[in-house]
Amino acid sequence: MLLRGVRKADLFASFVVVLVALPLCMGIAVASGVPAELGLITGVVGGLVVGALPGGSLRVSGPAAGLTVLVHEAVQRYGVAALGVLVLAAGLVQVGLGALRLGRWFRAVSVAVAHGMLAGIGLVLVAGQVYALGDAAAPSGGLDRLAGLGALPGRLDPVALSVGGATMVVLLLWGRWRRGARWVPAPFVAVASAMGVTWMFDLEVRRVQVQGLWNAVRVPGAADLGRLTEVGVIGTVVAFALIASAESLFGAAVDRLPDGRGTDYDRELMAQGAGNAVCGVLGALPMTTLIVRSAVAGGGGVVSEGALAGARSKASRVLHGVWLLLFAAALPGVLGAVPVAALAGLLVYVGCKLVPWREARKLWRGQRAEAVVLGVTAVAIVTGDLFEGVVVGLALAVAKTAWEISHVHVEAEDRGDDGLVVRVRGHATFLRLPKLLDALDALPHDRAVRLELGGLRHVDHACAAALAGWAGARGQALVASSRTTS
């Protein structure tokens, strides 16, 4: 049995992790526009279900911060009742992707796109939660949120803003005390302090609405399942599945277990899909793993919070789900005392930690094209949505790579009365076609030219047609070798 012979390190790690998970689960749910209990249900499933499945890592699963905006939009468009079927279908898609052994393909994603996704998620979280810091309603669109920041100071409630600001101060100061943060994580200390202050002084701030863990469960009915025939719903399901998978697996390349083994991408993807399917049956939020929770627990490093707390086996994941379930079920009144501004302060802190400032500076100094990919991906996510931003980033990364590998060199050798021997080397693609034709057109028109293409490792159809047309117009011969492909 998984919990038999649990080590003290795993038991301690599970306590530490649940103190991180509790405020984050609630904060992500509130930011997604759904009851806080749905975030807690997702956290419980992440521990009890995904934690018990063979995934291959110590990472803890929980509500998907990267899907906050998409979930909020889906709830606004289709209603909270449709959330379960959306998450259920997305989970089944993830299981299918893992069964087809497609999880490993996430390793092919550009690092700049992955960092851009992190930056975009962080900026979206900050832009949305700045409003909640002062108990103000946030506009729905990313551009509207940015545009509304100028008029925001007059709309913020000073008491709520003080609570949210104090929460961030505690997060910063407590996080720097390494010994204290190791025993009691900064997110728990900050949110608990905000609860205590608002209760002690009876401050008039908006608090989390609680209706009970079991009352929040809503199993999708036949009418909800019937919505899967709608085109918009299908698109939302695909977006949920792909982004949740990306958020879970982008960082898995550097995630290591204590014995040195890496993550099995396909098994991890199937475990996440099974967890999302269970969340869907319960009407809860979609789940991912690693990114946001590690940023809080480990100062932004790409390692699991379980490993950071000293976990040595996956039992810590299951125990984390047990403690989360017991707390949410036994003490629902405590949850209702949490100020929304405190959760907003936590998410603003998380969003800032997610932006990879150090990596962006390194890329700008060494590989500016990669830095541009990172920046464009982040901006596209902020101004559009996460799915569109990642697609734009991937397309830009592919175009950049295609441009960089398309190197064409034209060398001319004068052989006197025998004319010119022109050798074309490299990779001839349509991206370099103007440069290639300019070099050929610059050759003397009164000399015989022998065009040799043996140095071309690749030539696409556009270049092949252009070379044939140029040779035909000049009445020259093309000399190719077996290495040239088209």
Side-chain angles (χ1 to χ4, degrees):
M1 185 177 177
L2 183 63
L3 296 180
R4 183 177 299 170
V6 175
R7 303 177 183 180
K8 291 183 179 179
D10 294 320
L11 187 62
F12 172 73
S14 67
F15 284 125
V16 174
V17 170
V18 78
L19 296 181
V20 177
L22 185 62
L24 275 178
C25 289
M26 297 176 61
I28 293 172
V30 173
S32 301
V34 301
E37 294 91 339
L38 296 185
L40 294 172
I41 292 173
T42 299
V44 171
V45 173
L48 297 183
V49 177
V50 180
L53 291 175
S57 76
L58 300 182
R59 294 174 292 148
V60 179
S61 300
L67 287 170
T68 300
V69 176
L70 285 180
V71 171
H72 191 275
E73 292 177 354
V75 169
Q76 294 295 317
R77 181 179 302 176
Y78 306 114
V80 179
L83 181 60
V85 72
L86 293 173
V87 178
L88 170 62
L92 296 178
V93 170
Q94 286 183 295
V95 172
L97 292 175
L100 294 173
R101 302 185 66 80
L102 297 177
R104 66 192 67 184
W105 284 97
F106 284 89
R107 291 180 294 181
V109 175
S110 166
V111 175
V113 175
H115 284 315
M117 188 189 80
L118 286 176
I121 293 172
L123 294 174
V124 168
L125 281 176
V126 172
Q129 296 307 305
V130 163
Y131 289 84
L133 275 175
D135 283 349
S140 57
L143 287 176
D144 293 335
R145 291 179 181 178
L146 294 177
L149 292 177
L152 187 58
R155 299 171 51 195
L156 297 178
D157 177 55
V159 176
L161 184 60
S162 299
V163 172
T167 301
M168 289 190 288
V169 171
V170 174
L171 282 166
L172 290 170
L173 296 180
W174 190 270
R176 292 188 177 184
W177 185 27
R178 295 183 179 275
R179 180 175 298 179
R182 182 180 179 183
W183 290 93
V184 185
F188 181 81
V189 173
V191 175
S193 300
M195 290 173 55
V197 170
T198 54
W199 174 79
M200 183 180 301
F201 293 99
D202 194 22
L203 300 180
E204 294 294 332
V205 295
R206 187 161 59 99
R207 291 174 170 81
V208 175
Q209 298 295 320
V210 177
Q211 58 179 346
L213 194 64
W214 310 119
N215 294 330
V217 173
R218 187 187 187 282
V219 179
D224 299 320
L225 294 174
R227 305 202 66 174
L228 289 174
T229 58
E230 301 177 20
V231 176
V233 171
I234 295 174
T236 303
V237 167
V238 173
F240 276 19
L242 294 181
I243 294 172
S245 301
E247 189 175 343
S248 294
L249 298 180
F250 272 174
V254 294
D255 180 42
R256 294 286 171 183
L257 293 174
D259 61 5
R261 291 183 294 112
T263 300
D264 185 322
Y265 292 85
D266 299 313
R267 294 173 68 184
E268 183 73 20
L269 188 57
M270 293 180 70
Q272 292 296 316
N276 272 321
V278 175
C279 288
V281 171
L282 299 176
L285 289 173
M287 72 167 58
T288 59
T289 185
L290 182 68
I291 292 178
V292 169
R293 298 150 76 82
S294 298
V296 177
V302 190
V303 289
S304 70
E305 57 271 59
L308 283 166
R312 291 296 179 266
S313 75
K314 293 190 292 184
S316 62
R317 299 201 302 181
V318 180
L319 286 172
H320 138 267
V322 172
W323 309 141
L324 201 58
L325 175 61
L326 292 176
F327 184 91
L331 300 172
V334 176
L335 304 180
V338 177
V340 173
L343 295 179
L346 173 60
L347 290 181
V348 169
Y349 173 81
V350 170
C352 293
K353 298 281 284 186
L354 280 178
V355 180
W357 306 107
R358 183 177 303 175
E359 289 77 7
R361 286 194 295 268
K362 288 181 180 178
L363 288 177
W364 184 254
R365 293 170 184 167
Q367 301 178 359
R368 293 201 172 184
E370 291 288 322
V372 171
V373 173
L374 187 157
V376 170
T377 303
V379 171
I381 290 173
V382 173
T383 57
D385 59 46
L386 189 59
F387 185 72
E388 293 176 358
V390 171
V391 170
V392 169
L394 289 174
L396 186 59
V398 170
K400 180 190 73 69
T401 302
W403 175 263
E404 289 177 347
I405 66 173
S406 298
H407 293 297
V408 175
H409 302 284
V410 179
E411 302 172 355
E413 179 184 352
D414 191 344
R415 294 188 176 179
D417 294 338
D418 293 333
L420 300 174
V421 175
V422 178
R423 301 181 180 89
V424 183
R425 306 179 185 277
H427 298 76
T429 69
F430 70 95
L431 295 172
R432 299 289 183 173
L433 184 55
K435 174 184 176 180
L436 176 60
L437 291 179
D438 287 343
L440 294 177
D441 290 339
L443 297 173
H445 290 266
D446 57 349
R447 303 286 302 278
V449 176
R450 174 184 172 86
L451 191 60
E452 295 185 356
L453 306 181
L456 281 177
R457 295 181 179 273
H458 172 78
V459 54
D460 65 11
H461 179 73
C463 285
L467 288 171
W470 182 88
R474 292 285 297 260
Q476 307 297 330
L478 296 177
V479 181
S481 73
S482 60
R483 288 187 302 170
T484 305
T485 60
S486 62

